[in-house]
Amino acid sequence: MKTFCGRANPTTGAMEWLEEDENYDYHQEIARSRYADMLHDKDRNVKYYQGIRAAVSRVKERGEKAIVLDIGTGTGLLSMMAASAGADFCYAIEVFKPMANAAVKIVEKNGFCGKIKVINKHSTEVTVGPDGDMQCRANILVTELFDTELIGEGALPTYEHAHKYLVQEGCEAVPHRATVYVQLVESKRMWSWNKLFPVHVEAEDGEKIIVSPSEMENCPGVPSVCDIQLNQMPSSDFTILSDVVTMFSVDFSKPVRSASTYYRVQLEPVKSGKAQIVLSWWDIDMDPSGMINCTMAPYWVKSTSAFQWRDHWMQCVYFLPNEEPVLQGEKVYLTACRDEYSVWYKLQKARGEEENKADVRVESPVCRCQAHLLWNRPRFGELNDQNRTRQYIESLMKVLKTDSVCLCISDGSLLPVLAHYLGAKQCMHPSGIDLYHPDELRCFFFKFFKANHLEDKIKIIEARPELLTSSHLEDKKISVLVGEPFFTTSLLPWHNLYFWYARTAVTSHLTNNVTVLPQSASLHMMIVEFQDLWRIRSPCGTCEGFDVQTMDDMIKNSLNFRESKEAEPHPLWEYPCKSLSDPQEVLTFDFRKTVPQQCLSTEGSVNLSRKGKSHGAVLWMEYHLTADISVSTGLIQISNEKVFLQSNLLCQTVYFFSSVIESETLSDLPSAVTYAINFNTKTGEIAMDFQL
Ligand code: SAH
C-alpha cells in the first residue's frame, strides 16, 4: 500500500503530493515524536510515579483491588509504574499501532505480562464486561494526554467518555487536577508575531509610512496556539501588567465536561500599559493534597531549583484581538473561552457584570483581515524586523533608478511597496505563487494597497513566474528583479531557493544588464553543543528503572528510514547552543546566473576549535542583497562561544549527528568534522553527510 505525503517542491515553489512507502508516515511520526523527550523528563516521571504509588495505596487501604486504566500508554511506562506500585491489574490503552506494539514488547521485557493488558484502541472504542476489553470498570485512572495548551490533544472528551463508561464513580485519578494560570503582559516582540507594524521609509520626497488595513487592528487572528519556550524570552522583552492568576482548573477524579464554556477572572493591573498578550501555562497535582506538583511555570514565577527542561510541554502565548490600554489599579475582566480542544482570550474593561456576560461569545477566533492566512507568526516577526527592512531599503536605494521596471518574486512581500516609494517607475508582483491562498492573497493585497493609496501604482500579475508573458509585463523588460526571497511552502531555509528557479524561468523578460536582488545566497554551517535540544534525539535506556530500550531502537530505526534522517527545522532562539566551530560558508548560489544543469557539491571539513559535545550541525542561509549588504536568517553573533541567532520565530536547520563525540580537553578533541553537501539542481533538495 502507498500513501500520499505533501511536500514542497523547491524548484516550483508548489506543494506536491508524492507517493510514499506506507511506512513513511509512521516512521516520520516515530522519528519526530516526543516520546524520547517525555522519557527524558525526569521531573514528570518521578512525580507520576509518586502520584501513582499514592493512588494505589489509597485504594488498597480501602480494602479494594487496584484496577488501573492507563489511557494513552505509549511505551507502557505509567502502567509499569502502577504494576510495580502493587496494582492488581492494568488496562493500557494505546491508539497508535506501532506504539501499542512497542508497549507489548516493553511490558514483556520488564516482566509485567500477567499484570498489564495492552489494548490497541482509541479509548472511546474500549468495551467493558465479561467479553469486553476490560473485565470491569477501573478504580484508578492514569493518563498523560496533555499538550502545552493542556487540552489540545483531546484530554477533555477522553476524560468525559472514560468517566461515563470506563471507570467507577469516586475513582482515583493521576493526575488528580490541572490548573491553568495566566498573566497579562505588554510585549512589542511578541506582538510583532501577530500584527504588522507601520514601516517607515525615508524616500527622496519625504518620509513614507506603510500602514496595514484597519481590518487588521481588531482581527482575532488564527485559533492555533502559539507554544514557545518562554524561558528563553529575556525579561527585557516584555512588561508584566498583572499578577499570575488562576484561570480555571479541571478535577480529573470527577466527571469532566468537554462542551464549550468560558471562565472569567478580574484582574487589577500592577502597572499601566498596553495589554496585548496573555501568557499562560499549567500545572498538575498528582494527588488530591497538592503535595506532588509538576509545573510549567516560567523562570520568573518559580525557583530555578524546580527547573526541568522539556519540549513536549512549554508555555502558551495568546494574542488579544486588539491591544487595550490598562491603568494600574483599574480593574479589568479577562475571559478564557474554550471549546473541546483549544482556548482563546478576551479582555474587557470592568463594567456591570451582566453587561459583560452578554458580551461573551464563545465562537472560536477566525481571521477577518486575511493577513493571518497569508503570513504566519514567524513571517509577521520577519516583516516587522526593522533592521532587516533597513537592509532591504538601503540596497533598493542603491540599485533602483527612476526608470527601473521592477518585478518582485516572493510571497506576501512588502518589497514592491518599498521599491515604489524608493523610486521605481513601475513595480510588479506576480501573484498566485502561493497556490494555497491565491484568493486571500489578492483580497489582502487589494485592501493593503488601498490602505496605502497604491491601488494603481503596483500591478499584481496573476500568473506564476514560469507562465509570465510579455503582455503581463506590458511588453516591458524587467531591469530590477527582487525577492526577499520568501515562499510560504518553504519548510527549510533553502527551499526559498525557488527564487533562483523563478529567476531562471523569467530570464527572457529581463534586460541584458538586469540587477538581481539578492544577487546571491550562501549556506552557512556551524557545529554546536546544545544546552538541551539534544534530548529529543538521545536514547534513554532505562526510565525510572524500567527498560525502554525497545523505544530507543524504534526511534533509531525510524530515523534511519529513508528521508527521515534529514535536516530538521527548529527556531533556534528557543534552544540555546554553544559553538564548537567557527561558522563556515559551505555553498553559494549566484542568482545573477541561471540555475546550472549540474549539481552543486562541496566537500570539506570544519575544525572543532572548542571543547564540548558535538551534537550536530546548525545551518542557515544568508542573502547578499548587494555586494556589501547582507541579511542573515540565522547567526547574528557569537560571543564567548554563546551563539546568538535570529530572535524572531524563524527556523534554522539542525542536522543531528547519529553519534555524539565528547571531548573534555582540547587535546582529545577530534580535529575536524568532515562533510559532503550536495545541492541537486533538478530537485532543489540538499543532501548532507557528516563524518566525525
Ligand atoms: N503514557 C505515556 C505516553 C504519553 S503520550 C507516557 O506518559 O510516557 C500520549 C499517548 O496517548 C500517545 O501515544 C497517543 O497515541 C495516545 N492517545 C492519546 N489519546 C488517546 C486515546 N483517547 N485513546 C488511546 N490512546 C490515546
Side-chain angles (χ1 to χ4, degrees), residues 35 38 44 72-74 78 94-95 121-123 144-145 158:
Y35 292 105
M38 292 188 287
R44 175 196 88 119
T73 199
L78 305 182
E94 175 54 56
V95 64
K121 279 189 175 180
H122 191 269
S123 61
E144 203 274 62
L145 301 168
T158 294

Side-chain angles (χ1 to χ4, degrees), residues 396-619:
L396 281 170
M397 277 163 66
K398 285 194 180 190
V399 306
L400 286 176
K401 302 194 186 73
T402 45
D403 61 349
S404 294
V405 176
C406 182
L407 178 73
C408 171
I409 301 180
S410 271
D411 283 350
S413 178
L414 304 182
L415 287 185
V417 182
L418 294 180
H420 167 74
Y421 282 140
L422 295 169
K425 183 173 141 207
Q426 184 151 23
C427 293
M428 299 185 246
H429 192 325
S431 99
I433 295 178
D434 169 6
L435 292 177
Y436 277 127
H437 307 302
D439 289 334
E440 282 91 347
L441 190 95
R442 211 171 302 132
C443 189
F444 173 74
F445 271 106
F446 179 74
K447 284 191 260 182
F448 183 72
F449 290 157
K450 202 154 179 234
N452 289 284
H453 312 291
L454 295 171
E455 306 93 299
D456 49 355
K457 300 290 194 302
I458 295 163
K459 177 175 169 162
I460 297 193
I461 300 169
E462 293 185 15
R464 299 175 51 78
E466 295 83 356
L467 303 176
L468 214 61
T469 61
S470 316
S471 65
H472 285 127
L473 301 172
E474 294 159 11
D475 292 324
K476 296 194 182 79
K477 292 272 182 197
I478 305 300
S479 58
V480 180
L481 180 69
V482 300
E484 299 186 34
F486 171 87
F487 302 99
T488 45
T489 50
S490 302
L491 295 174
L492 293 167
W494 52 78
H495 292 163
N496 288 325
L497 289 176
Y498 169 60
F499 178 72
W500 203 10
Y501 292 88
R503 177 259 177 262
T504 305
V506 301
T507 299
S508 65
H509 301 294
L510 307 177
T511 60
N512 288 335
N513 56 352
V514 64
T515 305
V516 182
L517 182 163
Q519 54 173 251
S520 62
S522 49
L523 181 66
H524 294 247
M525 177 177 82
M526 187 169 60
I527 310 298
V528 301
E529 172 179 322
F530 283 108
Q531 193 177 298
D532 303 293
L533 191 66
W534 58 271
R535 287 170 206 272
I536 66 169
R537 290 288 163 275
S538 160
C540 194
T542 61
C543 179
E544 297 310 302
F546 303 103
D547 182 343
V548 291
Q549 209 195 317
T550 306
M551 187 69 220
D552 294 339
D553 295 343
M554 206 168 136
I555 294 175
K556 199 166 158 200
N557 178 36
S558 286
L559 282 168
N560 286 332
F561 186 76
R562 184 182 61 82
E563 300 223 72
S564 301
K565 191 177 162 55
E566 62 188 15
E568 305 177 18
H570 290 284
L572 285 176
W573 71 269
E574 293 182 66
Y575 305 103
C577 56
K578 80 177 193 182
S579 65
L580 301 186
S581 77
D582 289 335
Q584 192 161 320
E585 183 177 310
V586 285
L587 275 182
T588 55
F589 313 92
D590 189 348
F591 299 154
R592 289 166 297 191
K593 305 201 180 96
T594 54
V595 178
Q597 288 293 312
Q598 68 283 12
C599 294
L600 293 181
S601 305
T602 180
E603 279 179 15
S605 62
V606 210
N607 286 329
L608 292 176
S609 46
R610 292 168 208 105
K611 60 181 192 224
K613 294 180 183 149
S614 307
H615 289 131
V618 167
L619 296 106

Side-chain angles (χ1 to χ4, degrees), residues 29 34-35 38-39 44-45 48 70-79 81 92-97 99-100 119-126 142-146 153-155 157-159 161 312-313 543:
E29 182 89 10
R34 293 162 184 236
Y35 292 105
M38 292 188 287
L39 294 174
R44 175 196 88 119
N45 301 336
Y48 260 99
D70 171 11
I71 303 181
T73 199
T75 52
L77 179 70
L78 305 182
S79 287
M81 288 179 177
I93 321 294
E94 175 54 56
V95 64
F96 184 36
K97 185 142 208 296
M99 276 318 297
I119 301 167
N120 176 207
K121 279 189 175 180
H122 191 269
S123 61
T124 52
E125 303 294 318
V126 169
V142 177
T143 79
E144 203 274 62
L145 301 168
F146 314 114
E153 279 172 15
T158 294
Y159 272 106
H161 174 270
H312 62 114
W313 292 332
C543 179

Side-chain angles (χ1 to χ4, degrees), residues 237-402:
D237 278 351
F238 59 97
T239 308
I240 288 172
L241 300 179
S242 84
D243 290 333
V244 177
V245 296
T246 299
M247 198 68 227
F248 64 94
S249 59
V250 187
D251 182 342
F252 296 122
S253 71
K254 305 244 161 60
V256 168
R257 283 179 45 115
S258 68
S260 298
T261 185
Y262 69 90
Y263 312 88
R264 163 170 297 176
V265 292
Q266 202 179 49
L267 293 177
E268 192 170 311
V270 294
K271 205 171 176 203
S272 300
K274 281 181 276 186
Q276 297 167 325
I277 308 266
V278 175
L279 299 180
S280 174
W281 58 89
W282 48 261
D283 67 11
I284 42 182
D285 285 317
M286 296 299 182
D287 72 334
S289 77
M291 296 293 283
I292 313 164
N293 180 273
C294 181
T295 176
M296 305 311 123
Y299 65 89
W300 64 93
V301 180
K302 69 171 172 201
S303 69
T304 45
S305 64
F307 190 75
Q308 163 77 48
W309 185 88
R310 44 171 77 95
D311 206 41
H312 62 114
W313 292 332
M314 297 180 272
Q315 293 80 23
C316 301
V317 176
Y318 293 99
F319 304 95
L320 291 170
N322 48 314
E323 58 180 23
E324 187 85 54
V326 293
L327 290 173
Q328 186 178 344
E330 205 159 278
K331 294 193 179 85
V332 288
Y333 287 103
L334 183 66
T335 307
C337 303
R338 68 149 186 81
D339 56 20
E340 282 181 301
Y341 296 97
S342 62
V343 186
W344 59 98
Y345 285 88
K346 294 177 186 190
L347 190 76
Q348 284 148 319
K349 290 277 161 71
R351 278 181 291 157
E353 182 68 7
E354 283 312 304
E355 209 178 318
N356 270 337
K357 266 209 184 110
D359 263 12
V360 177
R361 256 168 255 111
V362 198
E363 72 269 20
S364 149
V366 270
C367 169
R368 290 193 292 259
C369 73
Q370 267 98 18
H372 298 94
L373 306 176
L374 186 61
W375 297 324
N376 61 13
R377 290 169 187 135
R379 181 66 174 148
F380 267 103
E382 190 178 42
L383 291 173
N384 281 321
D385 180 341
Q386 286 169 5
N387 281 330
R388 178 177 181 273
T389 304
R390 202 169 313 126
Q391 308 295 315
Y392 282 92
I393 290 176
E394 261 177 48
S395 48
L396 281 170
M397 277 163 66
K398 285 194 180 190
V399 306
L400 286 176
K401 302 194 186 73
T402 45

